[in-house]
Every structure is written in structure tokens, then in C-alpha cells.
């Protein structure tokens, strides 16, 4: 059996209600858990971009990608490994102000991880960290060791290809020439 790796799918679609449900249903049918999901407008007018991460083997991720591309309102879908993309996530950490004020090592840890304090009030301190998934998670574990974390969340992955334009741009240009 092939080794499972973390793949990122970039799916481009028209902005139509119900597409997200159709895309996630493909993963459900194949019993593949989605690790993160981010949906936003792309750099192309009226085209939305879905950034989906999932652990899978290449054979299965190829099948998932092909099934997603068959959906009527999906323009293009591609899968990538981490080395093919520029990736970022954001982590938000709500920490106890009392703990932060009484333990200078917490502030040093925040600086060491190149995170920033975005809000301070008498009850809590909000820290934000942007980076790759592992950096965001590592900061959580480091702060959690101080028993000061009140809340923690991280965003879904956002990603752009290492190329100069959206992958779907070439596809749309070719489609335009053929019409």
C-alpha cells in the first residue's frame, strides 16, 4: 500500500450555491477526512478558489481530483504536495493575562516563535502567529506547557502555486481560444 501524504487540492469553481457540498461529498464517499478547508474569491473575477488538505495516497487523491473536476460548476481541480506551493496558516491564541504578566518566559516564547501580541486587556492576551502548519501548532504546544492557553484556533490553509499565475488561468485561456 502506498504511503499517505498530505496533499493540497486547489479547486476553482463558479460562485454557485451548493458546490462546496458537492466537493466535500467526494471526500466522504471515498472515506477521506478533510484536514483543512478554505474557500475564497480568487484573483479571477467570478471564480472561487477552494484550498483543501487531506491525507491520502497519490492514487486516491488523483481519483478524488478527477471526480471533483467532473462537477458541472467546477472549472479546474489540481492536487499538489507542500513543496509545490507557498503555504500559510494563522493561529490565534487567547492567553491568561495573569499568567503572561507573572511569567516572562511566555513573552520570550512568543518572540522566539516570531508571533505577535495583537491585544492585551486585564483578562486575556491575544497572540497571532502566521506560518506553516507545524509552526502554528508548535507554538500552541509551547504555550500550553505554561498552562496559560484559554482558547486556540487556526485557520484553514491558504496556498498559491509557485508559478506566476493561477493554475486555472491557462485552462481558461485555452478554453476561450477553443470557443
Amino acid at each position: 500500500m502506498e504511503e499517505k501524504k498530505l496533499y493540497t487540492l486547489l479547486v476553482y469553481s463558479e460562485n454557485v450555491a451548493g458546490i462546496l457540498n458537492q466537493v466535500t461529498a467526494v471526500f466522504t464517499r471515498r472515506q477521506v477526512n478533510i484536514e483543512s478547508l478554505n474557500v475564497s474569491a480568487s484573483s479571477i473575477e467570478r471564480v472561487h478558489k477552494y484550498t483543501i488538505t487531506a491525507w491520502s495516497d497519490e492514487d486516491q487523491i488523483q481519483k478524488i481530483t478527477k471526480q471533483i473536476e467532473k462537477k458541472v460548476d467546477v472549472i479546474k481541480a489540481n492536487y499538489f504536495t507542500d513543496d509545490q506551493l507557498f503555504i500559510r496558516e494563522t493561529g490565534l491564541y487567547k492567553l491568561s493575562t495573569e499568567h503572561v504578566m507573572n511569567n516572562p518566559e511566555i513573552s520570550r516564547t512568543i518572540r522566539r516563535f516570531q508571533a505577535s501580541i495583537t491585544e492585551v486587556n486585564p483578562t486575556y492576551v491575544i497572540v497571532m502567529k502566521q506560518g506553516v502548519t507545524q509552526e502554528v501548532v508548535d507554538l500552541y504546544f509551547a504555550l500550553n506547557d505554561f498552562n496559560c492557553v484559554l482558547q486556540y484556533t487556526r485557520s484553514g490553509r491558504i496556498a498559491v502555486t509557485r508559478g506566476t499565475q493561477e493554475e486555472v488561468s491557462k485552462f481558461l485561456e485555452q478554453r476561450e481560444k477553443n470557443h
Side-chain angles (χ1 to χ4, degrees), residues 9 60-69 77-79:
L9 276 79
Q60 189 169 48
I61 211 72
Q62 280 178 343
K63 290 175 183 170
I64 288 169
T65 303
K66 285 177 184 170
Q67 281 186 301
I68 290 171
E69 266 196 329
N78 292 309
Y79 68 92

Side-chain angles (χ1 to χ4, degrees), residues 116-178:
S116 58
I117 295 174
T118 60
E119 183 178 336
V120 178
N121 69 41
T123 309
Y124 58 83
V125 173
I126 301 291
V127 174
M128 183 170 62
K129 166 71 180 154
Q130 294 177 326
V132 296
T133 308
Q134 197 58 54
E135 295 168 348
V136 172
V137 172
D138 287 348
L139 177 57
Y140 166 74
F141 287 118
L143 292 171
N144 200 46
D145 286 345
F146 294 110
N147 200 28
C148 65
V149 179
L150 302 173
Q151 292 180 39
Y152 161 71
T153 190
R154 64 183 172 94
S155 68
R157 173 177 283 193
I158 57 172
V160 291
T161 62
R162 300 246 177 223
T164 57
Q165 62 183 345
E166 296 272 12
E167 286 285 313
V168 73
S169 298
K170 293 177 229 165
F171 176 80
L172 290 173
E173 286 169 13
Q174 192 62 43
R175 191 169 80 173
E176 216 36 55
K177 285 178 188 175
N178 295 340

Side-chain angles (χ1 to χ4, degrees), residues 71-115:
K71 303 297 176 191
V72 173
D73 296 307
V74 169
I75 299 166
K76 188 81 178 129
N78 292 309
Y79 68 92
F80 301 89
T81 55
D82 285 1
D83 61 325
Q84 297 172 301
L85 299 169
F86 180 81
I87 298 162
R88 285 294 175 267
E89 286 188 16
T90 299
L92 285 177
Y93 315 80
K94 183 186 273 186
L95 311 179
S96 160
T97 300
E98 181 183 350
H99 283 81
V100 173
M101 299 303 284
N102 292 331
N103 187 345
E105 193 55 40
I106 296 172
S107 294
R108 282 194 278 278
T109 300
I110 292 166
R111 283 192 302 277
R112 190 173 69 248
F113 277 86
Q114 298 177 332

